[in-house]
Each structure stands twice: as C-alpha cells, then as structure tokens.
Amino acid sequence: MWKLKIADGGNNPHIYSTNNFVGRQIWEFDPHYGTPEEQAEVEAARENYLKNRFQVRPSSDLLWRMQFLKEKRFKQTIRQVKVEDEEEITYEAATTAMRRAAHFFSALQASDGHWPGENAGPLFLLPPLVMSLYITRHLESVFPEEYRKEMLWFIYCHQNEDGGWGLHVEAHRNMYCTVLNYICMRILGEGPDGGKDNACSRGRKWILDHGGAVSIPTWGKAWLSLYLAYLIGQDANQCPQSFGFIPFSFLYDQAKMWCYFRLVYMPMSYLYGKMFVAPISPLILQLREELHTQPYNEINWKKVRHLCAKEDLYFPHLLIQDLVWDSIYIFTEPFLTRWPFNKLRKKALEIMMKHIHYEDENSRYINIACVEKVLCMLACWVEDPYGDYFKKHLARLPDYIWIGEDGIKMQTFGSQLWDTSLGLEALLACKLTDEIGPTLMKGHDYLNKSQVRDNPSDDFRSMYRHICKGSWTFSDRDQGWQVSDCTAEICLLLSVMPPEIVGGKIEPERLYDTINVLLSLQSKNGGISGWEPAGTSKWLELLNASELFEDVFIEQQYIECTASAIDALVLFKKLHPGHRKQEIETFIRKAVQYFENIQRPDGSWYGNWGICFTYATWFALRGLAAAGKTYHNCLAVRKAADFLLKLQIDDGGWGESYLSCLAKKFTPLEGNRSNLVQTAWTLMGLIHSGQAERDPTPLHRAAKLLINSQKENGDFPQQEIAGASLRTCMIHYSNYRNIYPLWALAEYRQRVPLP
C-alpha cells in the first residue's frame, strides 16, 4: 500500500537540502502498510474513478487524504446544514458550514505545516521521464514493479474513448500525447496489442487514422529524435527544425527568453550538439514500424519537417519562422560539423553545460519544473553516465512523483507553498483562531522556514538569474525559483497572522528583502511578471517553435501576480510606512493603471493561471479593492461586476470551461452547469466590488450552492479542472476544492449582513 512521507530526505548521499527538507512530499510503497479493510478502500476508490472518469476527469486525490484522516483519527463532529429553496441563509448556518470546512481542511495539514496535494494534469509529462530512464537503463531500479503498474494504470485511466490521449486530462485527443503515451506503455511492458481494454491497439489505431507519428508537433519530433532515434538516422541532417536553431541560441541574450523555455532549450541544445541518439533496441525498431502509415525506411523526412496534426496546431508557425529553420538546416548546420566551425559548436556545448550544472546546483537538482528536470538529467547522463551529477538527479526524482486513485503521474513541480498560502488565508478569514490555533502555528512555522534566504550563487546575473533573496517559491525552498504571487501572498500572510497565536512575527529585514523582489518585477506598463523582469520585445514570440503553446517564449505580465502584489504592498505600507514609501505608492498607482488599461470591453480580464475570466476577474477586483477602488469611484470595478453578474447560472453558481483559455472568450461549461471553485472565486470578486451593499441576492444564491454542496465530512466534491498555463495546458490543483469554497464562505459570513 502507498504511503506519503513528509520532510523526508532518506539516506541517499546524493541529496541535500537548505532547510532540512521542509515541504518535501514523497511516496513509497510498503507491502505491509495498511489493514485489509484500508487496502480494500483504496482499491474501491481506484475502481470508482475508472468507472466515472468520463464524468469527472481530475482525480479526487484520495490516497493521501485517506492516510492523513486515519492517522489523525478525524471525525466530523459539527452537524451538516442544508438551506432549503425558499429559506434564507442565517449567520448560524453560514458559520456552521464554514467551521465544518475549516476543521476538515485543518485535518489535512502535514506534520511540517504544509498541505500536500496533486499539481498535475498534463499528459505529456510522465512519458519522457520513462523514456529517459529506459535509455539510461535505470527504469527498473528507480521504479520497481509496483511503480510501473501504477504508471500504466494512470495511462489507462486517461485514455479517451476513441483511443487517444489529450494534452491534459480534460483535453481533446492530440498526436503529441497519444504517441508519447503509446510509447510509454510499450516501454513499461505492454505488447502491441496489450493493455487494459486493448489500450495499445486502440491508441495505435488513433495514431494511424490521424496520419501517423510523422505529424507529431515540433516538441514531439524533438523527444522522438532524442529517445528513439526517430528522425536522426545515419544522416544527421534529418533532425527537426528546432534543433537546427538551438545551437546558435548562445549568440543572443538568452535572458530574454522566459525562464521555463530557456531551461528547456538549453539541454535540448546540448543533446543535439552532441548528436545524441539513443542506442537502438528491438523495441525501438518495433516502434518505428508501429507508429507510421508507411514503412519507416520509405519516409521522406525532409517533407515532414514542418508537418503538424491539426489536433495539435494551436500556434501555427509563421512563414518567416519556417524560413529561418530551413535556412539554418540547409546552409548553417553542415558547417558546424566541420573544422574549424565545429570548434564553435564545442564552445557552445561547454557554455550550455555550464548553465545546466548551475541550474541543477541552485535548485538542489529539483530544477525549475518537470520537463526541464528530465532534459537536464539526460544531458548529465550523456556527459558522464557514472558521474555524481546524474546520481544527484536520480535522487530528486521522487519529488516529482504523485499517486492518486488514477495512478502515478508526474507533477509539474509541486504547489506546496502556493496551496499552503491560500489555505492559510482562507483559514484566517474564518476568524476561528481559538479553534484552529495549532494549525495556524504550524503553517506559520512552515512559511517561515521556507523563505529563500540568499540569491543564486556566484555571478548569478551572468547565468540569467534574477534576485530571489526574500522570496518564496511555488513548491519548496530547495527548488529556489522565486515566484511573485507566492511571494506576495506569503508576505501578506506573515504580516497579518496574530503573533499571540503563531509565536512572533518575522523580522522586518526579511520582509524588506521580499518587497525588494516584488518591486523589481514591475514592468513599465505597471504589470507584474512571474519570475523575472519582463519587457523584452514582443517580436521574439515569433521564434516560439512550439505549435502547442502560445505566449511562452518571453516573460509576460500577469493579472494574478499584479493583484497579489498590490494586496501585499498596501498592507506592508500601513505596517511599515517608512520603508520605500514613495516607490510603493508609485508601484500601486501604476498597477491600478495596468488593470484599467488591459480590461476587456466586456469588463473581464484574461486569466493565465486559472480558468479563466472568472479567475482573473476575481483577482483584479481583489487588487483594485485593496488599492481603494470601489464600484462608485472606478469604472473598471463597475464593468467587472456587471460582467460577473450576467454569467450567474440558475442554481446560483458560475461555471467556465477550460476552452475559454484557448478561445480567449468566455465559454460556459457543457450543459451550462456550475463549478464550486469558480463559484467561490466569483462570489469573492463580487464581495470585493461592494455587491453586498447594492444587492446581496446574487451572493446569497451563490453561498447557498456552496453550503448545500458540502459533503457529510466537510469536504467538497471534485469537479472540473481549475488551473491553467501556457494557454492550452490545464493544471489540476486538488486542494482548490477545499480552499476556495472555505474562503468564500468565510468572506460571505464576515462581509454580507445575515439574519
């Protein structure tokens, strides 16, 4: 039976930590753990998910929740409440529902003070990891049989009825993920016609019916070239177009690239520059024949270089981009393989490997995220298969593995600090310190220990890194990458948590470092970037070689980050009026102008990290309210409130499809049904707009839906996916279903008059 372990570094000599592994969450399989009844309960949860997976695709993340609730012997003792159709919500009813949710959520807190949870959803994350370990011959040692079984279960659970796999758990099928998951099943031991319910043959049929693997998008061609010698045969000129450009990326300022893509293309550059090709095996030879509509040796690779299946084509290449790739492929690449120009390639490889090692060391080999992790790990293996660099990478693989009732998936990189900061804000809003004081104390201790205390090592700016001293990351301190909204939310929390409960406030100098990070990330237009300063020319986005994602080549400004920063800085200015007052006031004024300038004509804002217009509009209204903007003195607030009110559904809720992110236009959920997390966002947004003073009826209707949807134990049901990224790639945050309804009920109870 699987068990979640907290803040555990194990005995591996190749792993190390800056804060004794606080925030780390790893799974282990123990055949002796759990009673027969508990094991049967887990198996029932797995089968129930499989049976209902096409109704609710994200997992309910039940395995660790079962473990924690049993270990803490949690039993809900507060009676359940329901509000009838014509009945008014009383203060007592709202309080009861809120307390039930708060006590349940508190029981899910880990021993080190954070809230564990799934942060996954994309279906292209796990296969490259499996492929890399297959190539390096470490698959079975890193992932014993029980792990491999759970990986297959995950792939089975998320195969669509037509045989394909989507970009994420709710997406339509595409070539990229169908090919990768098919290969993953074969590596994990399934035959060409094997797998649950003929998973392999059904997947292969979808691939062949849609043109075969030659129409996989650019990133897919990259993976297959690296792992399966798919395009690189005896003639290295058969490489994908993106690789032809990458060896030259060191000739321009890579700091202009968004950090995530920069750290994808660096190891890709290295692997291509080394002309790395996986050793040919019988399985690779079989896959070459299984994945195409014609014999492998008869494929004209030059004609399929730019081919992309229509199901994958979200961001088409412009003609000029294809001309760049082709020019480099035809005219430049041949020179780099010959003396004296091959000396230039050798120097480029040395520079890239220097950057890869720097990223590895400064992230304690966790790396910025999962795609980058796998590529950097493989690059280290290619450099030295027996070296310590590769061994340190292997030691951090458990940080990315997560297990739910739908099997083993690869996390994006974990959301421990983000989830914990939001969860603590929700609990603080309940004003139940006498009931949940120990929970708040543990949470405060976790946040305190998780602050990044130093900038990256040595001359970090020459390594394309920004300041991070005083910040917080998205996952844990060891990962080391500052994120503006996490930093702002936690700065806000540490400023308001009652010292008599949590045991003392954080030193002002540490908060000054935090403010320094936030101020450094504001752009000229007033918006706040996520990781590093933005402001690079937009034309560079034309170099985005990925057909799957949009607005990912350069750093952007984000509504959500900007709102979090305003909220934190307004409070900080009140508590520390003498510290950089004028800069902070200018920051807030410019940020408000940013909101007003990019608001859409319908009154909404586009969300980058949640679905989509409801998410961003809540954040914007929260930030504007913190800055003193109201329905009466701000047109943007009036337009936003009107936008939200028009979308309320008959049951009192709101529901928005992930398709809004792709279409950049509000799209309701199928059947015009509501979603509790989005209802909570919208309820809080309207409260921030002053709706309670104008007409509280829409707020009462939304609160009634939340109260009546609460489960017997205080939990809320898992519904549609709520997180987003890269326009097309949705992320499942399993704790959202607890955090946001709780937070909304707390705000409703506190700020809406009730009988």
Side-chain angles (χ1 to χ4, degrees), residues 357-536:
H357 288 320
Y358 186 86
E359 159 64 6
D360 289 345
E361 289 292 331
N362 279 276
S363 66
R364 272 54 64 180
Y365 289 81
I366 300 173
N367 299 100
I368 192 170
C370 54
V371 175
E372 296 81 356
K373 165 70 177 178
V374 171
L375 283 166
C376 288
M377 180 180 73
L378 187 61
C380 288
W381 182 80
V382 171
E383 182 192 37
D384 183 359
Y386 305 104
D388 283 347
Y389 293 130
F390 178 63
K391 292 176 183 177
K392 290 176 182 178
H393 266 294
L394 292 179
R396 278 295 190 174
L397 284 178
D399 294 67
Y400 279 96
I401 298 305
W402 194 259
I403 304 176
E405 63 270 27
D406 59 341
I408 281 184
K409 71 271 321 238
M410 191 176 191
Q411 300 255 63
T412 59
F413 52 106
S415 56
Q416 298 97 298
L417 277 163
W418 177 245
D419 288 355
T420 300
S421 65
L422 297 176
L424 287 171
E425 287 187 76
L427 290 171
L428 277 173
C430 296
K431 299 189 181 302
L432 297 175
T433 53
D434 56 329
E435 298 182 32
I436 57 172
T439 300
L440 299 176
M441 182 181 295
K442 286 169 60 179
H444 180 273
D445 182 63
Y446 165 68
L447 298 180
N448 186 26
K449 292 176 179 176
S450 298
Q451 187 181 27
V452 177
R453 302 297 179 91
D454 296 293
N455 287 320
S457 61
D458 303 323
D459 183 10
F460 59 89
R461 296 191 187 277
S462 70
M463 305 305 288
Y464 316 131
R465 285 297 301 269
H466 187 57
I467 59 172
C468 61
K469 182 181 180 181
S471 69
W472 281 267
T473 74
F474 197 68
S475 53
D476 60 29
R477 176 168 146 182
D478 284 341
Q479 193 252 6
W481 274 89
Q482 70 284 350
V483 185
S484 61
D485 51 1
C486 293
T487 298
E489 297 291 348
I490 296 172
C491 174
L492 181 68
L493 269 170
L494 294 178
S495 299
V496 299
M497 295 186 82
E500 67 276 10
I501 298 295
V502 300
K505 290 188 175 183
I506 190 171
E507 297 89 342
E509 291 74 20
R510 287 171 56 190
L511 290 181
Y512 297 164
D513 289 335
T514 301
I515 298 306
N516 189 49
V517 172
L518 293 176
L519 293 177
S520 75
L521 293 174
Q522 187 173 43
S523 301
K524 291 181 180 179
N525 66 0
I528 313 302
S529 53
W531 292 262
E532 299 169 328
T536 302

Side-chain angles (χ1 to χ4, degrees), residues 12 50 72 96 217 259 318 335 430 432 490 504 542 559 567 574 622 639 691 705 714 729:
N12 193 316
L50 185 69
K72 297 183 180 183
T96 300
C259 52
L318 297 179
F335 287 101
C430 296
L432 297 175
I490 296 172
L542 298 177
I559 280 289
D567 217 357
K574 292 179 181 177
R622 178 189 174 201
K639 290 171 62 179
Q691 186 66 36
L705 177 65
C729 188

Side-chain angles (χ1 to χ4, degrees), residues 159-317:
Q159 186 175 29
N160 284 285
E161 293 169 294
D162 62 2
W165 285 265
L167 193 66
H168 54 85
V169 296
E170 290 190 4
H172 66 77
R173 279 63 68 199
N174 71 0
M175 186 65 69
Y176 183 47
C177 287
T178 302
V179 169
L180 291 185
N181 280 280
Y182 178 84
I183 292 170
C184 190
M185 286 193 296
R186 298 285 280 112
I187 290 174
L188 291 171
E190 296 292 8
D193 299 314
K196 184 176 178 61
D197 299 326
N198 302 312
C200 286
S201 58
R202 291 166 56 224
R204 186 172 63 254
K205 182 178 185 303
W206 192 96
I207 293 168
L208 299 178
D209 286 349
H210 291 78
V214 293
S215 60
I216 199 170
T218 299
W219 274 29
K221 287 180 170 67
W223 293 124
L224 298 189
S225 298
L226 291 171
Y227 299 128
L228 301 181
Y230 169 53
L231 298 179
I232 302 178
Q234 295 179 345
D235 180 4
N237 284 336
Q238 293 175 348
C239 65
Q241 64 269 31
S242 59
F243 283 170
F245 168 76
I246 292 166
F248 290 90
S249 60
F250 75 95
L251 294 175
Y252 73 96
D253 186 3
Q254 292 192 36
K256 293 180 179 179
M257 293 179 70
W258 187 38
C259 52
Y260 282 88
F261 266 43
R262 181 171 71 241
L263 289 165
V264 165
Y265 285 124
M266 275 187 187
M268 273 190 180
S269 301
Y270 180 82
L271 293 165
Y272 173 72
K274 296 289 286 188
M275 293 299 168
F276 170 72
V277 177
I280 303 299
S281 68
L283 176 59
I284 287 176
L285 294 176
Q286 292 173 35
L287 287 168
R288 285 180 170 183
E289 299 304 322
E290 293 170 16
L291 292 171
H292 304 296
T293 58
Q294 64 184 111
Y296 175 84
N297 292 328
E298 296 178 11
I299 298 173
N300 185 335
W301 296 110
K302 294 180 181 179
K303 287 188 175 180
V304 301
R305 283 164 42 79
H306 301 304
L307 190 62
C308 179
K310 62 181 178 62
E311 292 82 4
D312 299 65
L313 191 58
Y314 180 72
F315 185 77
H317 293 174

